Amino acid sequence: MSTVIATIFVFGLLILFHELGHFITAKSVGMRVDEFAIGFGPKLISKKIGETIYSIRIIPLGGFNKIAGMDPEEQQDERSFSAKPIWARMLVIVAGSVMNFVLPVLLLFIVFVSAGIDSPSNQPIIGKIFPDKPAAVAGLLPGDRITAVNGTAVDSWRDFVSVIQANAGTKLTITFSRALETNRTAVLTPEYDEKGKRGVIGVIPQIDNYQPGIIESAGLAAKQTVTVAQAMLIGIGEMITGKTAADVAGPIGVAQMAGEVAQMGIIPLLQFAAFLSINLGLINLLPVPVLDGGHVVTLAVEGIRGKPLSDSQMQFIQMIGLALLLLLFVVATFKDIVRLNLF
């Protein structure tokens, strides 16, 4: 049940903000919005305020805007989408993705203000021990302060890690203090980690929590959003060019991750939603037909040509875009199924 609720919360929040961006901008440039809906399927609740119907629908995943004139077959007037200048139409299209960058700033701001910022301490104090690893077998416990390894003093967590990593397979004598007891010792042998090519004993450092103020939290949230977006953009570029493997997750995989994160608490779930929102914003801006970025490209072509593309040309472009998205959806879903061992 937590997976279902977490999935509805995450997808609903992301798409709600995305559609809200289109809605606010369309209204601001004078377009008529006939309906703003949360969810899909039959209406549960609806109310007309002014010229717009606001509705909540039975399937609580996503939402949509019905902007007048988006469908070329509709009757057009001076407040239709197609009647507005190209800059206004571009603004409306891009606004959805822009809101997907605004949302993580808000979510991360809430995280920083309410929970602060956790960071690994450089003090040589054990924060967590993994079961059945050398440290656990040797009897070390969370809170133990490491003072020496093989008689050589340890002044920081970095020093301790360096010694462990360089001594895979070598028996080490760890000197530590616990509560009021000093100079206690434990003997252990670091395991060799094939992936990291180093020695490990199954410990992580103590975590320090820093509580920033409101203004600092806002700045940190914006900075973190930009940093993550830049990293994602580089990753997308490397996947497109083939430098890295395209490891994508579909709806099943995202739902599973949302459920797992939800079990860790509301703060990790908000961080997960922020991460996905940035991802959605970037993906939507790609110049692929059907996506917002593709619409911007066709509007740019219209501006250069001085007239819109023909209906047949638009249909052909959208069919290509839809085919690409369906292919990506199938590949991602197949990977989800294989990852979850559903075969």
Side-chain angles (χ1 to χ4, degrees):
M1 181 60 71
S2 63
T3 297
V4 174
I5 295 173
T7 301
I8 292 173
F9 171 76
V10 171
F11 277 103
L13 188 63
L14 266 58
I15 301 177
L16 171 62
F17 262 72
H18 184 89
E19 294 300 331
L20 195 60
H22 294 314
F23 174 79
I24 293 172
T25 314
K27 287 280 192 178
S28 68
V29 297
M31 294 179 188
R32 190 179 78 251
V33 182
D34 294 327
E35 184 177 358
F36 178 79
I38 299 175
F40 296 102
K43 296 177 183 177
L44 290 176
I45 302 172
S46 68
K47 182 176 178 60
K48 188 170 185 179
I49 302 176
E51 62 188 9
T52 304
I53 297 172
Y54 299 86
S55 65
I56 297 177
R57 296 175 176 250
I58 196 167
I59 303 174
L61 294 175
F64 64 89
N65 283 288
K66 187 177 180 183
I67 300 175
M70 286 289 285
D71 185 349
E73 297 182 0
E74 291 181 12
Q75 184 175 356
Q76 306 292 318
D77 59 36
E78 69 279 1
R79 297 190 61 204
S80 296
F81 178 84
S82 58
K84 297 299 179 181
I86 289 177
W87 67 264
R89 284 181 274 164
M90 282 188 173
L91 193 62
V92 171
I93 295 298
V94 171
S97 293
V98 170
M99 285 297 281
N100 282 127
F101 297 113
V102 172
L103 176 59
V105 174
L106 295 176
L107 293 177
L108 292 174
F109 172 76
I110 293 170
V111 169
F112 294 151
V113 167
S114 60
I117 301 172
D118 290 337
S119 60
S121 172
N122 196 36
Q123 293 293 316
I125 301 173
I126 296 176
K128 182 178 179 180
I129 293 181
F130 295 96
D132 302 322
K133 292 297 182 181
V137 173
L140 291 173
L141 297 174
D144 289 347
R145 175 183 284 271
I146 310 302
T147 56
V149 178
N150 282 357
T152 301
V154 170
D155 297 319
S156 67
W157 185 263
R158 193 174 293 108
D159 291 343
F160 179 52
V161 169
S162 297
V163 175
I164 298 300
Q165 291 180 346
N167 286 280
T170 303
K171 187 175 291 187
L172 302 174
T173 300
I174 310 295
T175 305
F176 62 96
S177 60
R178 177 182 297 166
L180 299 177
E181 301 177 63
T182 59
N183 295 322
R184 296 188 60 158
T185 61
V187 179
L188 52 78
T189 302
E191 296 177 351
Y192 183 68
D193 177 32
E194 286 287 348
K195 186 176 181 180
K197 307 297 182 185
R198 59 192 179 186
V200 296
I201 61 172
V203 296
I204 60 175
Q206 179 177 271
I207 301 298
D208 291 337
N209 182 269
Y210 169 66
Q211 187 65 58
I214 292 177
I215 295 177
E216 186 180 2
S217 292
L220 289 171
K223 182 178 179 181
Q224 183 74 6
T225 299
V226 171
T227 300
V228 173
Q230 289 174 336
M232 284 186 180
L233 197 58
I234 293 171
I236 292 172
E238 290 180 346
M239 283 192 290
I240 292 174
T241 57
K243 289 184 179 180
T244 59
D247 187 14
V248 294
I252 297 174
V254 174
Q256 183 200 24
M257 287 186 280
E260 292 173 352
V261 173
Q263 293 178 4
M264 300 166 61
I266 186 63
I267 295 300
L269 186 61
L270 293 179
Q271 293 172 319
F272 179 69
F275 177 86
L276 280 184
S277 186
I278 297 170
N279 190 60
L280 177 62
L282 288 175
I283 295 297
N284 252 302
L285 287 176
L286 292 178
V288 176
V290 182
L291 296 179
D292 290 348
H295 287 304
V296 171
V297 172
T298 57
L299 287 172
V301 171
E302 178 182 337
I304 294 170
R305 296 173 74 238
K307 61 179 181 179
L309 296 173
S310 67
D311 291 345
S312 60
Q313 289 173 324
M314 286 298 298
Q315 288 177 358
F316 178 72
I317 291 172
Q318 289 176 351
M319 284 178 61
I320 292 175
L322 185 59
L324 290 173
L325 287 182
L326 286 174
L327 177 61
L328 179 61
F329 176 81
V330 170
V331 171
T333 303
F334 177 76
K335 287 192 173 187
D336 290 342
I337 292 172
V338 172
R339 192 182 297 117
L340 296 173
N341 296 317
L342 295 181
F343 279 146

